Amino acid sequence: MTEQATAGAVRTLTLSKSINEGLRRALTDDDKVVVMGEDIGELGGVFRVTDGLKAEFGPQRVIDTPLAEAGIIGTAVGLAYRGYRPVCEIQFDGFIYPGFDQIVAQVAKLHARTNGDVRMPITIRVPFGGGIGSVEHHSESPEAYFAHTAGLRVVTCSNPQDAYSMLREAIASDDPVLFFEPKRRYWTKGEVDLEHVPDQSMERARVLTSGTDITLVAYGPLVPTALDAAAAASEDGISVEVIDLRSLQPVDFDAVAASVRVTGRLIVTHEAQRFGGMGAEISATITERCFEFLESAPERVTGFDTPYPPAAFEDHFLPDMDRILDAVDRSMGRRNSLSEWRFDG
Amino acid sequence: MLLTHSGEYVQLLTPRGERVDAPGFDPWVADIGSAELRSLYEDMLISRRLDTEATALQRQGEIGLWPPLLGQEAAQVGSAHALRQSDFVFGSYRENAVAYCRGVDLTTMISVWRGNANAGWNPYDISMAAPAIIIGAQTLHAVGYAMGCDFDASDDISIAYFGDGATSQGDVNEAMVFAASYAAPVIFFCQNNQYAISEPVGVQATKPIADRAPGFGIPSIRVDGNDVLAVFAATAIAADRARSGNGPTFIEAVTYRMGPHTTSDDPTRYRSDDELAEWRAKDPLDRVERYLTRIGALDDTETARISEHSDTVARELRAAIRALRPPEPLSFFDNVFAEPNRHLARQRSQHEAYLASFDGGELS
Ligand SMILES: Cc1ncc(C[n+]2csc(CCOP(=O)(O)OP(=O)(O)O)c2C)c(N)n1
Ligand SMILES: [Mg+2]
């Protein structure tokens, strides 16, 4: 209570409420900001992230759109041409694909195609990831498609303060930003400084625990899992440096490389399928940059190369602390689940 | 091109249970005598019972989610009965009464909502595609299937079920273009239940949805979707047109989703009690019950028999859920591809080794 009082604008908020406050602030500060999506008005979004915004700013600033993702992104392009700063909500990760063409063929390319004459300051908010026991298409992690697309920035947050600050920065950015929200962490609470000024730090990774044996890179929903794994490893005498990547495009390779030069070992974890994922890109780049420092091969702890399975299987699909610890053992050259494993299938 | 005129809709049975004349439509229900109508009523009642039971099972934690079809029984049962078993159905997630009419095994149906399966029934068992959650996607599939029926010179047809919200999707509009271009033997069956989650139909369409199809070159019919006879007639007309080489027809069934969008939804945030009450008065079951009672086709014995039948089906649903076993943990690796895949086999084998490393309680 006293802490809140002295800090002024510091409040304890859930991650989803932080995004709500970030949107409110952006709508207040810049009348070119419009928020658009399905069910975001009266309902306040299926996760209530936009709760109250339509009542406060009116139906022309907070727009319930027809049910069409290509329509949402495509009209956002037109609004951007006209000088607006649209913030689009895609209801769930798995529903972004009807809008994929507009994102990769239009939004991503327009600035380059027009020699910089046209800017696309569009933010596309996407609740992503699994762990909520939902039905098909509601638990996916499509970030790699977008990180692969030249011209898009891709970020994700893992805590309420970042959710607030990074969202404001994303909206202020003159480039298009895919803003992935870890939906299973929407109810995580934390202190948020609402006066935090966007400071272009969105693309910098953050070291959460410093360590000397292993660099563990995580982002979005798996950051708390990575921290748990680091704590468990430390009881075993292994010192893990956890890095919250935050930005997936561009990636703060400098931060990861600096850490790996000390630890000599790398583990990357994400919920998304492994093949062609963020883990592959980070492992490759770090191997290129830090080859002589590496004590063991980079490890990836990820979803499997299957479609996201029905809810009954998601505990198997999703990386958890034990799977990370198994990779820790492998990385350290200790006994692990694959010590005697042979594949002759 | 409109088989009905803009704004009007076809009704054969009023909410008060009076049979009214509808020239052009009456002949299509000429074969529906009191016994046939009673059996439509029975399927509607059982559908409602299944739906209520599933909603209750969700509340009890037996299933994770359920998309109620409460209020849409006439639209689903009436249209399903106008099809042949060899016709192919492409639905969304809400067409569980259609699935029931096609003889779905309840275990496979409910396994999706329990979180055990993504698609449930084998589509070829009941000639009904896997439910589509991606809004509108199935309409294109229905058109392609119909094109195939035509290429095969078969008189099978397909039907696409979708909602008012879906009509905004590019896929649905492209489906109408393809269907018209190839005169595909397909029925576009839109259940306008007035809402796409929280958004009233006015967000998607400022004119009746049925008015759109003629612009694509597709005749359309607008029916009272809570009138099982009108729905049956419209679907029978559309099926006959498709079978006889006259191409696609669009049906807008005007109905109302009396329940929440899904069991996770709170409709009080976006609609009024008055509106709900207005539609309750147009309940699709009540009017048939009134009519059948008045003509003496629904006496106490019949009522008791139907109610007992619905109890049995509800019990079967419960039993189906109880009978579901936790699936084999690594079966999600199966069936990603039709052919063997070494990369995936390797990944699965690694995960098996990982799980085996827990034997003895701890990761050793
Ligand atoms: C491509 C896509 N976007 C968004 C959603 C989320 N969503 C699920 S149901 C729904 C509303 C559908 O409304 P309607 O087509 O009228 O069908 P109803 O649910 O009313 O039967 C929405 C927006 C989705 N499933 N797929
Ligand atoms: Mg609807």
Side-chain angles (χ1 to χ4, degrees), chain A residues 39 51 65 69 305 312 341 345, chain B residues 115 198-199 269 342-343 347 349:
Chain A
D39 302 291
D51 199 17
T65 66
E69 289 74 13
D305 292 322
W341 174 78
Chain B
S198 71
E199 296 186 349
R269 288 181 76 106
R342 261 185 82 76
H343 168 74
Q347 213 169 67
S349 164

Side-chain angles (χ1 to χ4, degrees), chain B residues 163-165 191 193-196:
Chain B
D164 45 300
Q191 287 171 86
N193 64 5
Q194 311 302 323
Y195 285 92

Side-chain angles (χ1 to χ4, degrees), chain B residues 26 135 209:
Chain B
D26 289 331
I135 300 298
I209 288 171

